[in-house]
Structure formats: structure tokens, C-alpha cells
Amino acid sequence: MSYTCISSRCYLFAFSINSIRAILGSVEGDLEMGFYGSSCPKAEKIVQDYVNQHIPNAPSLAAALIRMHFHDCFVRGCDGSVLLNFTSASGNQTEKVAVPNQTVRGFDFIDRLKSLLEAECPGIVSCADIVALAARDSIVLTGGPSWRVPTGRRDGLMSNASEALAQIPAPFDNITILTQKFANKSLDLKDLVLLSGAHTIGISHCPSFTNRLYNFTGVGDRDPTLDSEYADNLRSRKCRTQNDTTTIVEMDPGSRKTFDLSYYALLLKRRGLFESDSALTRNSNTLTFINQLLQGSIANFYTEFGLSMEKMGQIGVKTGTTGEIRRNCAVVNS
């Protein structure tokens, strides 16, 4: 699965402005609904219009953008650190090159949005906020749920590949590791189940799961928790060798373009693609949440998913004078 920027505003009059915001604005921690209302009134519409214009021509980007938002938030908080390129000045490889992010797409999409916003309001809208807004708007456009996106995030100054590798949930993680990684970000088991529901759209690549098909315990065996018919199909029609790095596979076969509950139904049939998917069925609490979702309405799922997305979008945010508003999402300001 997988992950933001903002303006410094004018802090010379910060006390009076913030007092007014506290009275008039809808405040979520240090973020606000409509944060750019006065500094860049068209900001959110610019993002929405661009998404509406381009996502219909590339609907798979919706899954890519929500994954980017997820991966961004799990490392250093939702601060756009996943967008940074390596530079010799930084002295370390950035999150972009870490294994979990090597298949993340949509960076050009965010860069084009940033260019539009810089033309409208230079130095005001953060890359972190752009990612958060674009992820939500693209999911809505594909017929999926909406959720509140309070804004005001600022962009981080650091990005480290080793942190991404250690902190982003991996497709090989068991329930104990997943629980801990989510708890480290103040997310609970219900959030784990709901946010995993984003796997109802999008695709994966064979290296994320072929060990389950060809060499689960290192002796050329198959994962016994994976439905045998599903495993046979993956081996014969998709990942025909263990070294296949190019074939793409639907995470929710037959329904990957629809944001629905079929992902959870497949979990109960032992057809979750990743070990991390399968792990959700082997914990009594997460299994209870899965069954509750399947017994409820799609509207309930959308509401619950939206609440977890809003919660995730506030992980470790930088506000006030922390961080910066990048002029270019791929590099820190000089």
C-alpha cells in the first residue's frame, strides 16, 4: 500500500490570525479545513480540476496516488519526504530509492500540480498537501469514498531510504509486525484493516508475493495459507517464474477498478495476494473487523475508510515554522 506541503503564511501577525482561525476555522490538531482560504483560495479547486481532467485517462493513477500518500505519511509523517530526489548535498539516499518505493508512481503528476499552484500562489501550497488532496480527489473520481482533508502541512527537509525500508509496512509482514508498525504511527488494528482495504484497487508486481508460490520456507514450497486454485492460477497465468519482475497482477482480481468490499471477501477465501493481507484473517480482532465490514453496507465502509484516511493524513505533520514550502517538490529549497 503505501503516503504533502504548505505555506509559512504571515506569522508577523500570527497571534491574531491564529485566534481568528481558532474561532472561525474547523481545526484538526494543527491542520485546518480550508487552510488556504485566504492565502490561495483556488488551491483545492486547482488540484481537483487537474485530477478530474487527467485521472479518467489514467485511472490506475488513483491507486498509485493513495499509495504514495500512505508511504509518505509512514516515514517522518505526511511531509512530502517521499518526493525528494537524492542530491550530493543531502549525503544519503532518499526514500524514493528504497525498495518499498521503487514501484511508486505519480511523481510527475504531483510535479505538474505543483507547477500550477506555484503559478497561482508562489510559495504557498506545500507538496505534502498536494499529495493528500490529490489522493483523495482521485479516489473520489473513480467512484470511491471521500474524506476530509484538513490542510496546513509543511514540507520536510530530510528523506532517508533506510527509514522507508524499516517503517513502511511490507507485503511480507506478519500480524505482529503490522500491528507494531501501525501502532508506531498511532494507528490501531481497525485502521490496519480499513487502510488495507485500499488494496481493492490497483496492481502489484510478482516479487511482492512470489515467495508464496515458489519458495515459502526456503525449500521450494508453497504457502499453505494461500488458496491452491488461486495459487495455481497465479503460477500458470501471471508469475510463471520466481524471477518475473515485469508482470503486473491485480490485488483484487475482477474488481480492481471498483472501490468495494470484494477485497475483504477474497481474504476470507484465502485469496489475499500478500502475506500481509492473509495476516489480517489470523488475528481475532482484525477478523472481527473484516466480518463487520462485510456484513455492513458499502456506505459504512466508505465512512469508516474515510475516517482512517483522515487519521493517517495527520501523522507527524509539520506546521507553523517547522519545515518549509518547497518550490520544487523533488528538492529542498536552497
Side-chain angles (χ1 to χ4, degrees), residues 7 59 97:
S7 97
V97 304

Side-chain angles (χ1 to χ4, degrees), residues 249-311:
V249 180
E250 298 175 351
M251 290 188 283
D252 186 358
S255 184
R256 77 173 179 90
K257 295 182 179 179
T258 306
F259 210 104
D260 56 22
L261 290 162
S262 65
Y263 162 79
Y264 298 109
L266 289 174
L267 292 186
L268 298 187
K269 295 177 180 178
R270 300 192 297 126
R271 295 191 172 194
L273 188 61
F274 306 134
E275 290 174 65
S276 59
D277 293 323
S278 177
L280 301 180
T281 67
R282 293 196 293 279
N283 172 279
S284 60
N285 291 318
T286 53
L287 183 58
T288 295
F289 289 137
I290 290 169
N291 282 307
Q292 287 174 347
L293 288 170
L294 287 170
Q295 291 162 12
S297 65
I298 191 69
N300 175 69
F301 170 46
Y302 280 13
T303 297
E304 295 287 349
F305 180 85
L307 291 172
S308 285
M309 283 299 302
E310 184 178 349
K311 185 176 176 182

Side-chain angles (χ1 to χ4, degrees), residues 70 182 186-197 289 304 307-309 311-312:
F70 182 90
F182 272 67
S186 300
L187 298 173
D188 58 25
L189 287 176
K190 187 174 184 180
D191 297 315
L192 168 59
V193 171
L194 287 162
L195 294 175
S196 295
F289 289 137
E304 295 287 349
L307 291 172
S308 285
M309 283 299 302
K311 185 176 176 182
M312 187 201 78

Side-chain angles (χ1 to χ4, degrees), residues 28-263:
E28 302 290 332
D30 289 324
L31 303 180
E32 300 175 27
M33 293 299 294
F35 178 85
Y36 298 110
S38 59
S39 63
C40 190
K42 296 180 181 179
E44 294 194 23
K45 189 173 189 304
I46 287 172
V47 174
Q48 185 181 55
D49 287 349
Y50 191 80
V51 166
N52 290 349
Q53 179 183 357
H54 293 283
I55 292 296
N57 300 321
S60 66
L61 262 181
L65 291 170
I66 197 171
R67 183 177 182 227
M68 178 191 291
H69 184 31
F70 182 90
H71 283 208
D72 182 40
C73 291
F74 260 73
V75 186
R76 294 184 172 268
C78 313
D79 69 345
S81 55
V82 73
L83 305 172
L84 287 171
N85 289 337
F86 168 77
T87 64
S88 56
S90 68
N92 60 266
Q93 294 292 328
T94 61
E95 294 169 36
K96 263 188 184 180
V97 304
V99 170
N101 292 324
Q102 288 175 4
T103 54
V104 170
R105 298 185 300 122
F107 295 113
D108 289 346
F109 191 89
I110 298 301
D111 287 341
R112 291 194 294 271
L113 270 170
K114 178 60 171 175
S115 295
L116 292 174
L117 288 160
E118 283 296 295
E120 176 73 16
C121 310
I124 297 297
V125 183
S126 71
C127 300
D129 274 344
I130 294 171
V131 171
L133 290 166
R136 189 271 313 276
D137 291 348
S138 64
I139 294 298
V140 170
L141 190 64
T142 60
S146 183
W147 58 90
R148 287 158 46 92
V149 181
T151 46
R153 299 167 189 78
R154 288 172 63 85
D155 298 320
L157 304 175
M158 297 288 296
S159 183
N160 191 301
S162 62
E163 292 177 347
L165 183 61
Q167 297 175 30
I168 294 173
F172 314 107
D173 286 345
N174 60 35
I175 193 65
T176 301
I177 296 172
L178 289 170
T179 299
Q180 188 59 59
K181 286 183 176 180
F182 272 67
N184 290 344
K185 308 302 175 183
S186 300
L187 298 173
D188 58 25
L189 287 176
K190 187 174 184 180
D191 297 315
L192 168 59
V193 171
L194 287 162
L195 294 175
S196 295
H199 288 178
T200 188
I201 58 173
I203 53 91
S204 179
H205 294 80
C206 297
S208 295
F209 59 87
T210 46
N211 67 306
R212 303 185 75 193
L213 304 177
Y214 293 100
N215 198 28
F216 188 60
T217 64
V219 292
D221 56 340
R222 179 185 297 179
D223 183 351
T225 67
L226 188 64
D227 175 75
S228 59
E229 183 179 347
Y230 182 43
D232 287 342
N233 182 63
L234 288 171
R235 284 180 58 140
S236 63
R237 296 172 179 250
K238 297 294 183 177
C239 306
R240 293 174 176 163
T241 70
Q242 191 171 359
N243 300 319
D244 185 336
T245 60
T246 58
T247 300
I248 59 174
V249 180
E250 298 175 351
M251 290 188 283
D252 186 358
S255 184
R256 77 173 179 90
K257 295 182 179 179
T258 306
F259 210 104
D260 56 22
L261 290 162
S262 65
Y263 162 79

